[in-house]
Amino acid sequence: MRPIICHLLMALLAAQLHADNLVRPADEIRLPLAEGWVAGGDDTGFPIQLVNEDLTAELQIFRSEIPEEDAIIDGQQLRRAVEDIIDDVILSLPEAQLLTNTGYQEDNRAWFVLEFSSVDTVTFENIHHRMTAVLYRHPDGQQLLFTLWGKASTMAPTSVQTDLRTMENGFAYTGSAQRAVFAEPTDYRWWLMGAVMVVLLLVLRLRRRGTRESN
């Protein structure tokens, strides 16, 4: 199981443990708060929970750190991790159905959006989910993963889907971040390439010296 899945699973576990612990948005992030939505509780930190006024929908925001040694190195690896998330997390929910799966990369971040449905085993209502995960790279080397998980029951107003889309699409991390979101590969091939360049330069220098001496 890839590291990004482990961090997402930890976030999903936190969603169950802190379902009643409403917190306010942290200073390092911003997002447009849709009309009729509020942040509950007096605490600070993550996870953050936003709810609409009639309590038929919610948006939870989680923050995870991926150590530098486990960092995602390119878009292909991120795509494979998303596929594993779909198989190991999304499709494990009751009667889950994947609706959309899209990914993006721009500026200093990469993110993917999954829309899917499931059934609440208590109320037997259909639940529509919109999960957005946004990846940044911190100057210290680790990657920051922000997961925004929106849920709305069939009893929620139709405008809720637009609200979730607006808030998730407008999310931004305002802290320090590197321009390159993906980690640079550090395997032996890069060391070998450098060694080959050094040898070539030495050979070229020796040839030039031999040419001068023969003249």
Side-chain angles (χ1 to χ4, degrees), residues 188-202:
Y188 75 95
R189 289 173 297 178
W190 295 100
W191 176 88
L192 181 61
M193 183 180 298
V196 169
M197 291 299 297
V198 170
V199 172
L200 290 176
L201 289 174
L202 288 175

Side-chain angles (χ1 to χ4, degrees), residues 8-9 44 67-68 70 84 93 96 98 102 104 108 114 133 145 151-152 154 159-160 163 170 178 194 206:
L8 185 55
L9 287 173
T44 59
E68 184 175 7
D70 294 330
D84 287 344
L93 297 174
L98 181 66
T102 52
Y104 310 88
N108 64 342
L114 302 175
L145 176 66
K151 306 176 187 178
T154 54
S159 60
V160 161
D163 293 343
Q178 295 190 24
L206 290 173

Side-chain angles (χ1 to χ4, degrees), residues 3-196:
I4 193 172
I5 304 175
C6 297
H7 290 281
L8 185 55
L9 287 173
M10 291 172 62
L12 303 187
L13 178 60
Q16 300 300 320
L17 296 178
H18 300 283
D20 298 326
N21 184 21
L22 307 183
V23 293
R24 297 191 180 279
D27 293 336
E28 65 179 354
I29 67 171
R30 71 169 186 266
L31 78 165
L33 187 64
E35 183 178 357
W37 287 73
V38 296
D42 297 324
D43 297 334
T44 59
F46 293 89
I48 295 166
Q49 186 173 35
L50 307 175
V51 294
N52 65 337
E53 291 179 334
D54 59 7
L55 303 180
T56 56
E58 68 173 348
L59 174 64
Q60 291 183 296
I61 306 173
F62 306 93
R63 181 187 188 276
S64 304
E65 294 184 4
I66 302 177
E68 184 175 7
E69 59 270 19
D70 294 330
I72 303 298
I73 65 172
D74 56 30
Q76 292 294 331
Q77 186 179 2
L78 178 61
R79 184 177 296 109
R80 290 192 298 269
V82 173
E83 293 172 353
D84 287 344
I85 289 171
I86 293 172
D87 293 336
D88 298 340
V89 179
I90 305 304
L91 297 182
S92 67
L93 297 174
E95 300 185 32
Q97 291 186 354
L98 181 66
L99 304 176
T100 64
N101 174 14
T102 52
Y104 310 88
Q105 181 181 353
E106 67 173 10
D107 299 329
N108 64 342
R109 66 178 187 171
W111 75 99
F112 61 87
V113 180
L114 302 175
E115 292 192 63
F116 54 99
S117 62
S118 68
V119 173
D120 188 314
T121 56
V122 177
T123 63
F124 299 103
E125 290 181 343
N126 289 322
I127 305 297
H128 184 273
H129 306 257
R130 190 178 196 273
M131 177 184 293
T132 298
V134 191
L135 187 69
Y136 294 86
R137 189 180 178 198
H138 193 272
D140 291 340
Q142 74 269 25
Q143 289 173 325
L144 303 178
L145 176 66
F146 294 92
T147 305
L148 295 82
W149 191 353
K151 306 176 187 178
S153 75
T154 54
M155 302 299 293
T158 55
S159 60
V160 161
Q161 299 302 329
T162 301
D163 293 343
L164 290 175
R165 187 175 298 105
T166 298
M167 291 189 289
E168 293 187 16
N169 290 348
F171 172 86
Y173 164 66
T174 59
S176 300
Q178 295 190 24
R179 292 190 61 182
V181 61
F182 295 119
E184 296 293 337
T186 56
D187 58 23
Y188 75 95
R189 289 173 297 178
W190 295 100
W191 176 88
L192 181 61
M193 183 180 298
V196 169

